[in-house]
Amino acid sequence: MAGLLLSPSEKVYILHGIEDDFRSDGRSNIDYRPMELETDVVSHASGSARLRLANTDILVGVKTEIDVPKPDKPNQGKIDFFVDCSANATPEFEGRGGEQLANNISNLMQRAYHSEQAFDLKQLSIFEGKQCWKLYVDILILECGGNLCDAVSLAVKAALFNTRIPFVKAALLDGGNVDLQLSDDPYDSKLLEVGTAPLLVTLCKIGEKCVVDPSAEEESCSVISLVVGVTGNPKCYCSNEDASKLHEHISKCSTIAMNGPGSVAPQTLTNAIKQGINAAKYLDEALGKALLRERQDITNFVKHSYGFFK
């Protein structure tokens, strides 16, 4: 990363600490840094979230639009990802420096969410073969402190969990064209089922060990990193009563990507994928609890009227 200079002694210190499962900030090789998550932060968006992972700051907004489904998938909606890197995030993003990284993250999210085992696009269908909902997921990288892929996937899933889609009140067929009437009430809407939406876990190979949630300093010591997309568990995003009615879910890989000029031995790759799946399970469970707790707080909140509104 541009602007980050480490001496050979500092790199050796980081390498030896990871070999002993004790990183420079006190974490083990499978620990994440503290996170701050806030939803519904953009008023004009259908759903939004902001996540801060140490010095990494991500803002996500979701917009909905009615579109025509693809001919080969008439009963599915659409979802597109757009990533923008703020020039203030890091000196590396000045000018057009962040375009390649933005395209890589956007393509990675696109592959992860279009897997059959991941996000269910059928819930975005309105009229099969005629009209569907299209989700535009805009991702803004405000600050870069390492581990962008994981932070982006967490913020995107939180924003989709917060997204509301208006109900269709009526539909008129005129000469084969569909004319929809949507509800004007912002609370007359449905929520998306995002339980199976994937999370990305980045594993940086430093020496002979792989670590999750690498800091910017640790990323500079790595020659190759592995990004694993893992499907979520729907039970983590519903109440205990509803969770008991669901079948047992097995997390699966929805996408795998490698970054860097280095190489990975087959056994190391297998172990890294297993490590990524285990990390994603704990991460998904923690995210689900936080989002359900926030939704419950909003539901229990009683808005009081004052003045002439009373």
PDB file of all heavy atoms in Angstrom, residues 16-32:
ATOM      1  N   HIS A  16       7.410 -13.336  12.709  1.00  0.00           N
ATOM      2  CA  HIS A  16       7.649 -14.218  13.854  1.00  0.00           C
ATOM      3  C   HIS A  16       6.449 -14.251  14.800  1.00  0.00           C
ATOM      4  O   HIS A  16       6.148 -15.299  15.395  1.00  0.00           O
ATOM      5  CB  HIS A  16       8.904 -13.765  14.604  1.00  0.00           C
ATOM      6  CG  HIS A  16      10.173 -14.042  13.864  1.00  0.00           C
ATOM      7  ND1 HIS A  16      11.428 -13.636  14.307  1.00  0.00           N
ATOM      8  CD2 HIS A  16      10.397 -14.689  12.692  1.00  0.00           C
ATOM      9  CE1 HIS A  16      12.352 -14.023  13.458  1.00  0.00           C
ATOM     10  NE2 HIS A  16      11.749 -14.653  12.461  1.00  0.00           N
ATOM     11  N   GLY A  17       5.772 -13.123  14.939  1.00  0.00           N
ATOM     12  CA  GLY A  17       4.588 -13.104  15.799  1.00  0.00           C
ATOM     13  C   GLY A  17       3.480 -13.992  15.248  1.00  0.00           C
ATOM     14  O   GLY A  17       2.819 -14.716  16.000  1.00  0.00           O
ATOM     15  N   ILE A  18       3.286 -13.970  13.927  1.00  0.00           N
ATOM     16  CA  ILE A  18       2.246 -14.799  13.313  1.00  0.00           C
ATOM     17  C   ILE A  18       2.603 -16.277  13.422  1.00  0.00           C
ATOM     18  O   ILE A  18       1.730 -17.130  13.629  1.00  0.00           O
ATOM     19  CB  ILE A  18       2.037 -14.381  11.845  1.00  0.00           C
ATOM     20  CG1 ILE A  18       1.364 -13.007  11.795  1.00  0.00           C
ATOM     21  CG2 ILE A  18       1.227 -15.407  11.071  1.00  0.00           C
ATOM     22  CD1 ILE A  18       1.240 -12.421  10.421  1.00  0.00           C
ATOM     23  N   GLU A  19       3.879 -16.610  13.320  1.00  0.00           N
ATOM     24  CA  GLU A  19       4.291 -18.000  13.487  1.00  0.00           C
ATOM     25  C   GLU A  19       3.976 -18.511  14.889  1.00  0.00           C
ATOM     26  O   GLU A  19       3.693 -19.702  15.083  1.00  0.00           O
ATOM     27  CB  GLU A  19       5.784 -18.143  13.194  1.00  0.00           C
ATOM     28  CG  GLU A  19       6.136 -17.988  11.712  1.00  0.00           C
ATOM     29  CD  GLU A  19       7.618 -18.089  11.460  1.00  0.00           C
ATOM     30  OE1 GLU A  19       8.379 -18.122  12.464  1.00  0.00           O
ATOM     31  OE2 GLU A  19       8.025 -18.139  10.291  1.00  0.00           O
ATOM     32  N   ASP A  20       4.003 -17.624  15.883  1.00  0.00           N
ATOM     33  CA  ASP A  20       3.685 -17.995  17.267  1.00  0.00           C
ATOM     34  C   ASP A  20       2.232 -17.724  17.630  1.00  0.00           C
ATOM     35  O   ASP A  20       1.864 -17.783  18.806  1.00  0.00           O
ATOM     36  CB  ASP A  20       4.599 -17.225  18.230  1.00  0.00           C
ATOM     37  CG  ASP A  20       6.064 -17.611  18.080  1.00  0.00           C
ATOM     38  OD1 ASP A  20       6.315 -18.752  17.666  1.00  0.00           O
ATOM     39  OD2 ASP A  20       6.937 -16.763  18.356  1.00  0.00           O
ATOM     40  N   ASP A  21       1.392 -17.422  16.616  1.00  0.00           N
ATOM     41  CA  ASP A  21      -0.035 -17.147  16.823  1.00  0.00           C
ATOM     42  C   ASP A  21      -0.251 -15.968  17.761  1.00  0.00           C
ATOM     43  O   ASP A  21      -1.159 -15.972  18.605  1.00  0.00           O
ATOM     44  CB  ASP A  21      -0.747 -18.397  17.374  1.00  0.00           C
ATOM     45  CG  ASP A  21      -2.266 -18.313  17.230  1.00  0.00           C
ATOM     46  OD1 ASP A  21      -2.734 -17.519  16.387  1.00  0.00           O
ATOM     47  OD2 ASP A  21      -2.972 -19.023  17.968  1.00  0.00           O
ATOM     48  N   PHE A  22       0.588 -14.955  17.610  1.00  0.00           N
ATOM     49  CA  PHE A  22       0.449 -13.739  18.428  1.00  0.00           C
ATOM     50  C   PHE A  22       0.842 -12.556  17.557  1.00  0.00           C
ATOM     51  O   PHE A  22       2.011 -12.308  17.322  1.00  0.00           O
ATOM     52  CB  PHE A  22       1.344 -13.818  19.677  1.00  0.00           C
ATOM     53  CG  PHE A  22       1.044 -12.753  20.681  1.00  0.00           C
ATOM     54  CD1 PHE A  22       0.008 -12.908  21.591  1.00  0.00           C
ATOM     55  CD2 PHE A  22       1.777 -11.583  20.717  1.00  0.00           C
ATOM     56  CE1 PHE A  22      -0.277 -11.924  22.521  1.00  0.00           C
ATOM     57  CE2 PHE A  22       1.499 -10.591  21.632  1.00  0.00           C
ATOM     58  CZ  PHE A  22       0.467 -10.761  22.548  1.00  0.00           C
ATOM     59  N   ARG A  23      -0.175 -11.834  17.074  1.00  0.00           N
ATOM     60  CA  ARG A  23       0.064 -10.741  16.143  1.00  0.00           C
ATOM     61  C   ARG A  23       0.454  -9.460  16.865  1.00  0.00           C
ATOM     62  O   ARG A  23       0.323  -9.345  18.085  1.00  0.00           O
ATOM     63  CB  ARG A  23      -1.179 -10.535  15.275  1.00  0.00           C
ATOM     64  CG  ARG A  23      -1.444 -11.740  14.386  1.00  0.00           C
ATOM     65  CD  ARG A  23      -2.887 -11.916  14.013  1.00  0.00           C
ATOM     66  NE  ARG A  23      -3.292 -11.054  12.919  1.00  0.00           N
ATOM     67  CZ  ARG A  23      -4.484 -11.125  12.340  1.00  0.00           C
ATOM     68  NH1 ARG A  23      -5.376 -12.005  12.754  1.00  0.00           N
ATOM     69  NH2 ARG A  23      -4.782 -10.304  11.350  1.00  0.00           N
ATOM     70  N   SER A  24       0.905  -8.495  16.082  1.00  0.00           N
ATOM     71  CA  SER A  24       1.475  -7.280  16.669  1.00  0.00           C
ATOM     72  C   SER A  24       0.450  -6.466  17.459  1.00  0.00           C
ATOM     73  O   SER A  24       0.826  -5.693  18.340  1.00  0.00           O
ATOM     74  CB  SER A  24       2.080  -6.398  15.555  1.00  0.00           C
ATOM     75  OG  SER A  24       1.094  -6.088  14.581  1.00  0.00           O
ATOM     76  N   ASP A  25      -0.859  -6.628  17.164  1.00  0.00           N
ATOM     77  CA  ASP A  25      -1.885  -5.899  17.909  1.00  0.00           C
ATOM     78  C   ASP A  25      -2.531  -6.750  19.000  1.00  0.00           C
ATOM     79  O   ASP A  25      -3.554  -6.366  19.570  1.00  0.00           O
ATOM     80  CB  ASP A  25      -2.960  -5.361  16.970  1.00  0.00           C
ATOM     81  CG  ASP A  25      -3.545  -6.442  16.070  1.00  0.00           C
ATOM     82  OD1 ASP A  25      -3.219  -7.631  16.276  1.00  0.00           O
ATOM     83  OD2 ASP A  25      -4.334  -6.103  15.164  1.00  0.00           O
ATOM     84  N   GLY A  26      -1.954  -7.910  19.302  1.00  0.00           N
ATOM     85  CA  GLY A  26      -2.444  -8.746  20.398  1.00  0.00           C
ATOM     86  C   GLY A  26      -3.446  -9.810  19.989  1.00  0.00           C
ATOM     87  O   GLY A  26      -3.837 -10.637  20.814  1.00  0.00           O
ATOM     88  N   ARG A  27      -3.855  -9.847  18.715  1.00  0.00           N
ATOM     89  CA  ARG A  27      -4.829 -10.842  18.268  1.00  0.00           C
ATOM     90  C   ARG A  27      -4.145 -12.163  17.921  1.00  0.00           C
ATOM     91  O   ARG A  27      -2.947 -12.207  17.657  1.00  0.00           O
ATOM     92  CB  ARG A  27      -5.576 -10.340  17.030  1.00  0.00           C
ATOM     93  CG  ARG A  27      -6.466  -9.150  17.253  1.00  0.00           C
ATOM     94  CD  ARG A  27      -7.133  -8.757  15.940  1.00  0.00           C
ATOM     95  NE  ARG A  27      -6.174  -8.225  14.964  1.00  0.00           N
ATOM     96  CZ  ARG A  27      -6.329  -8.299  13.644  1.00  0.00           C
ATOM     97  NH1 ARG A  27      -7.385  -8.909  13.135  1.00  0.00           N
ATOM     98  NH2 ARG A  27      -5.430  -7.767  12.832  1.00  0.00           N
ATOM     99  N   SER A  28      -4.963 -13.235  17.906  1.00  0.00           N
ATOM    100  CA  SER A  28      -4.485 -14.495  17.353  1.00  0.00           C
ATOM    101  C   SER A  28      -4.708 -14.471  15.842  1.00  0.00           C
ATOM    102  O   SER A  28      -5.269 -13.522  15.296  1.00  0.00           O
ATOM    103  CB  SER A  28      -5.221 -15.678  17.989  1.00  0.00           C
ATOM    104  OG  SER A  28      -6.570 -15.706  17.573  1.00  0.00           O
ATOM    105  N   ASN A  29      -4.319 -15.524  15.159  1.00  0.00           N
ATOM    106  CA  ASN A  29      -4.408 -15.554  13.704  1.00  0.00           C
ATOM    107  C   ASN A  29      -5.838 -15.627  13.178  1.00  0.00           C
ATOM    108  O   ASN A  29      -6.071 -15.393  11.988  1.00  0.00           O
ATOM    109  CB  ASN A  29      -3.605 -16.733  13.150  1.00  0.00           C
ATOM    110  CG  ASN A  29      -2.103 -16.563  13.368  1.00  0.00           C
ATOM    111  OD1 ASN A  29      -1.637 -15.472  13.696  1.00  0.00           O
ATOM    112  ND2 ASN A  29      -1.358 -17.636  13.204  1.00  0.00           N
ATOM    113  N   ILE A  30      -6.806 -15.966  14.036  1.00  0.00           N
ATOM    114  CA  ILE A  30      -8.196 -16.122  13.578  1.00  0.00           C
ATOM    115  C   ILE A  30      -9.112 -15.059  14.187  1.00  0.00           C
ATOM    116  O   ILE A  30     -10.334 -15.180  14.092  1.00  0.00           O
ATOM    117  CB  ILE A  30      -8.736 -17.529  13.918  1.00  0.00           C
ATOM    118  CG1 ILE A  30      -8.676 -17.782  15.425  1.00  0.00           C
ATOM    119  CG2 ILE A  30      -7.964 -18.594  13.165  1.00  0.00           C
ATOM    120  CD1 ILE A  30      -9.343 -19.086  15.850  1.00  0.00           C
ATOM    121  N   ASP A  31      -8.554 -14.014  14.783  1.00  0.00           N
ATOM    122  CA  ASP A  31      -9.358 -12.975  15.434  1.00  0.00           C
ATOM    123  C   ASP A  31      -9.557 -11.781  14.501  1.00  0.00           C
ATOM    124  O   ASP A  31      -8.653 -11.404  13.751  1.00  0.00           O
ATOM    125  CB  ASP A  31      -8.694 -12.498  16.727  1.00  0.00           C
ATOM    126  CG  ASP A  31      -8.806 -13.519  17.842  1.00  0.00           C
ATOM    127  OD1 ASP A  31      -9.695 -14.385  17.742  1.00  0.00           O
ATOM    128  OD2 ASP A  31      -8.010 -13.454  18.793  1.00  0.00           O
ATOM    129  N   TYR A  32     -10.748 -11.181  14.613  1.00  0.00           N
ATOM    130  CA  TYR A  32     -11.053  -9.943  13.895  1.00  0.00           C
ATOM    131  C   TYR A  32     -10.871  -8.746  14.824  1.00  0.00           C
ATOM    132  O   TYR A  32     -10.967  -8.880  16.051  1.00  0.00           O
ATOM    133  CB  TYR A  32     -12.491  -9.954  13.369  1.00  0.00           C
ATOM    134  CG  TYR A  32     -12.644 -10.613  12.029  1.00  0.00           C
ATOM    135  CD1 TYR A  32     -12.683 -12.002  11.917  1.00  0.00           C
ATOM    136  CD2 TYR A  32     -12.747  -9.867  10.863  1.00  0.00           C
ATOM    137  CE1 TYR A  32     -12.829 -12.615  10.683  1.00  0.00           C
ATOM    138  CE2 TYR A  32     -12.896 -10.469   9.632  1.00  0.00           C
ATOM    139  CZ  TYR A  32     -12.937 -11.848   9.549  1.00  0.00           C
ATOM    140  OH  TYR A  32     -13.071 -12.444   8.320  1.00  0.00           O
TER     141      TYR A  32
END
